[in-house]
Amino acid sequence: MTESAGTIDVLVVDDDFMVARVHRTFVERVAPFRVVGTAHTGEQAIEAVDAFRPDLVLLDLYLPDLFGLDVIPRLRSAGHDCDVMVITAAREADAVRGAVRQGVVDYLLKPFDYEDLQPRLERYATQRGRLLTTVVRGQADVDRVLAGAFAPPAGAALPKGLSVETAQLVERALREADGTVSAAEAATAIGISRVSARRYLEYFHATGHADVSLRYGTAGRPERRYSRRA
């Protein structure tokens, strides 16, 4: 583990070599994360955890030799206490329930891009730091650690550079959209720049108030489409 160094070591597990490389690139763009290795099968993942002792494992579920969730108990029985974030195309309710029972810290569906993974890693880093530094004197300290595990506390202030008034306008654009809306469409509707609209939409997504889907065209990056979460 790397608590004293301030870094969070990550093992990327995915059966697709190219996907694993992309995920590695995403992770290494987010401080203080550092990828220490990659694995492409369940057995390789177990061996890599033995070798690298990562703090966090990004775990695909559809591996060629083992179902990803079956890797976790083997890690625990071997004495490893690394956290696990599931990154998978598995949308079955049983898989999600199984992941929760195994104590995963997050569950991210493929396909996704950097803007989907970044806030989840940042929330994980914040919560991990809270767990490492908390001194428990009573129930209030326990509640403080658990309450905001992967979401900001209710009533939390907007991030620096965002205003309540503009957030309300973007939220209205989401609410009034016929289905989904892009950052460019929201910007046009309320009269702000596309970059600004995207910042607010990503904030709503990170805080659980909006969902994101990807629309693939004939060329270039997929378009991110936002919808208000009921």
Side-chain angles (χ1 to χ4, degrees), residues 3 7 20 26 41 48 50 52-53 57 63 68 72 78 123 139 162 164 170:
E3 295 168 14
T7 59
F26 286 170
T41 70
D50 280 332
F52 298 116
R53 304 282 171 157
V57 177
L63 301 173
I72 301 175
R123 290 197 297 271
Q139 186 63 49
L162 302 188
V164 173
V170 176

Side-chain angles (χ1 to χ4, degrees), residues 73-97:
R74 291 185 55 179
L75 295 177
R76 301 301 179 231
S77 65
H80 299 299
D81 62 354
C82 52
D83 292 317
V84 176
M85 181 182 298
V86 169
I87 295 183
T88 181
R91 299 171 182 270
E92 298 84 0
D94 285 347
V96 177
R97 285 193 292 266

Side-chain angles (χ1 to χ4, degrees), residues 188-210:
T188 299
I190 61 180
I192 61 176
S193 72
R194 183 189 62 80
V195 172
S196 293
R198 178 157 181 157
R199 286 192 64 198
Y200 286 92
L201 290 166
E202 287 296 333
Y203 170 74
F204 287 136
H205 175 48
T207 55
H209 293 89

Side-chain angles (χ1 to χ4, degrees), residues 115-202:
E115 286 80 4
D116 294 305
L117 182 61
Q118 177 193 15
R120 294 171 186 274
L121 290 176
E122 290 174 344
R123 290 197 297 271
Y124 167 77
T126 298
Q127 175 67 0
R128 182 173 182 274
R130 188 180 296 125
L131 288 169
L132 291 174
T133 59
T134 290
V135 176
V136 178
R137 301 182 181 88
Q139 186 63 49
D141 296 313
V142 176
D143 293 342
R144 191 174 302 112
V145 171
L146 298 180
F150 294 101
L158 288 168
K160 185 177 180 181
L162 302 188
S163 71
V164 173
E165 294 78 10
T166 305
Q168 290 173 342
L169 291 174
V170 176
E171 192 277 333
R172 187 177 68 187
L174 270 175
R175 188 174 63 249
E176 296 177 351
D178 183 14
T180 63
V181 63
S182 68
E185 291 165 351
T188 299
I190 61 180
I192 61 176
S193 72
R194 183 189 62 80
V195 172
S196 293
R198 178 157 181 157
R199 286 192 64 198
Y200 286 92
L201 290 166
E202 287 296 333

Side-chain angles (χ1 to χ4, degrees), residues 27-43:
V27 171
E28 291 185 334
R29 290 173 61 185
V30 185
F33 293 89
R34 175 179 63 183
V35 176
V36 294
T38 58
H40 308 292
T41 70
E43 293 294 343

